[in-house]
Amino acid sequence: MAKMETISVNAYAKVNFTLDILGRTGGYHRLDSLVCTVGLSDSVTAVRRADGRCFVAIEGLDAEALPRANKPVRAAEAFFYAFGGGGAEIRIVRSVPVGAGLGSSSADAAGVLKALALLYGIADMGAVKRIADTLGSDTGYLLTGGWARMTGRGEQIEPLADMPPLWLLLVLPHTGMDTAACFAEYDRRGESFSPCTQESIDRLRAGRLSPKCFSNALTQAACARNADIARALETVHAVSAYGGGMTGSGSACYAVFAEEAACLAARASCPKDMTALCVPTVPQK
């Protein structure tokens, strides 16, 4: 069998439909979150090299905002440290904004690991996921995506079957949100919220789509730090009877629809100073 010389994969964004915070353990917040990947992605292409060297080139949306030692670079370094190999030329073309709660750099890191595993024939995806889990709380999940329940720090993944396909109107403020700052604000406020992830899963599986399906404990903290998130949420709740919310620590928000046509029609109601995208949920890849 001939060796593959080039492999390309999509690095899908994710949306948190719920985000419960259950306390802290070892300095980390313990989470319980219903997530799914959506039809917005970066592209990752890896080309085999024979000289043992690895280069990562990143272009497109927000590429200049990434630090030099970014997650995709660290993912490539960790992969070759663990598995060896001849090296690779990696090109990432970004479409998912940074600081939006959509996974972004974690998705790129997962895409790099997936592409390199395919390029070099690594079948032990459990070992690949262990690398991913060192790079970010949702990086391991984004290796496969789809509907899932994420618990712990986000490294414990339970894939979910029998979940409905949905259409989402993503409302993206042009101002981002720093994850650490959002969690710090949540801690400072000292608020507590009743967990809702299991109830949301049960409602969606039963076809009882409603605003009660969507909740995020970080919403008030994020709105306190970024007024644009509050504006985006106002739009979300105005355009969909099914509701929606904020994903991750923001700043992106989403409105939920059962059909594409309704999602497209609602896009015209979005603020002109924000980006609005209609995307479907994407099953596990």
Side-chain angles (χ1 to χ4, degrees):
M1 181 177 176
K3 294 180 179 179
M4 288 187 292
E5 296 299 325
T6 303
I7 190 76
S8 293
V9 300
N10 289 322
Y12 288 99
K14 57 80 181 172
V15 162
N16 300 81
F17 291 108
T18 67
L19 199 160
D20 299 329
I21 299 178
L22 307 181
R24 292 175 68 104
T25 300
Y28 291 95
H29 293 84
R30 288 186 291 111
L31 308 178
D32 190 2
S33 181
L34 173 62
V35 293
C36 191
T37 37
V38 299
L40 174 64
S41 64
D42 297 345
S43 68
V44 179
T45 300
V47 180
R48 183 188 295 267
R49 292 179 65 100
D51 60 4
R53 304 180 71 186
C54 180
F55 299 93
V56 180
I58 305 176
E59 59 189 77
L61 183 66
D62 293 338
E64 71 286 348
L66 299 175
R68 184 178 298 275
N70 53 65
K71 284 185 184 180
V73 168
R74 290 189 284 125
E77 291 173 345
F79 177 90
F80 286 114
Y81 181 82
F83 299 111
E89 194 90 28
I90 300 168
R91 178 172 180 255
I92 300 172
V93 181
R94 295 182 44 81
S95 299
V96 182
V98 170
L102 293 167
S104 190
S105 294
S106 292
D108 290 345
V112 166
L113 292 174
K114 185 188 300 186
L116 291 175
L118 290 169
L119 191 68
Y120 280 99
I122 304 300
D124 186 357
M125 291 308 291
V128 175
K129 183 181 180 298
R130 287 191 288 275
I131 295 173
D133 287 338
T134 68
L135 298 169
S137 60
D138 50 7
T139 308
Y141 156 69
L142 286 165
L143 284 170
T144 52
W147 285 99
R149 186 175 191 167
M150 294 196 316
T151 53
R153 289 185 287 116
E155 82 285 3
Q156 298 170 24
I157 311 301
E158 177 190 353
L160 299 174
D162 303 320
M163 300 298 283
L166 299 174
W167 277 89
L168 308 179
L169 177 64
L170 296 181
V171 182
L172 309 173
H174 292 169
T175 51
M177 185 70 223
D178 179 77
T179 297
C182 187
F183 274 98
E185 179 67 20
Y186 171 86
D187 291 338
R188 187 192 68 78
R189 295 167 71 90
E191 298 167 329
S192 61
F193 301 88
S194 299
C196 65
T197 295
Q198 185 59 58
E199 180 182 358
S200 297
I201 293 170
D202 294 342
R203 285 178 176 274
L204 286 168
R205 277 182 168 160
R208 293 183 286 128
L209 190 60
S210 78
K212 292 183 179 180
C213 296
F214 314 109
S215 176
N216 186 330
L218 292 174
T219 300
Q220 293 181 24
C223 288
R225 303 276 306 195
N226 185 340
D228 286 341
I229 297 175
R231 291 175 52 226
L233 285 169
E234 289 176 2
T235 299
V236 160
H237 294 303
V239 299
S240 174
Y242 297 126
M246 181 186 78
T247 178
S249 57
S251 61
C253 299
Y254 62 92
V256 178
F257 299 88
E259 298 177 351
E260 180 183 13
C263 186
L264 290 169
R267 188 168 59 181
S269 301
C270 289
K272 301 305 180 186
D273 62 338
M274 297 187 187
T275 300
L277 303 172
C278 290
V279 297
T281 50
V282 172
Q284 189 176 78
K285 296 291 184 181

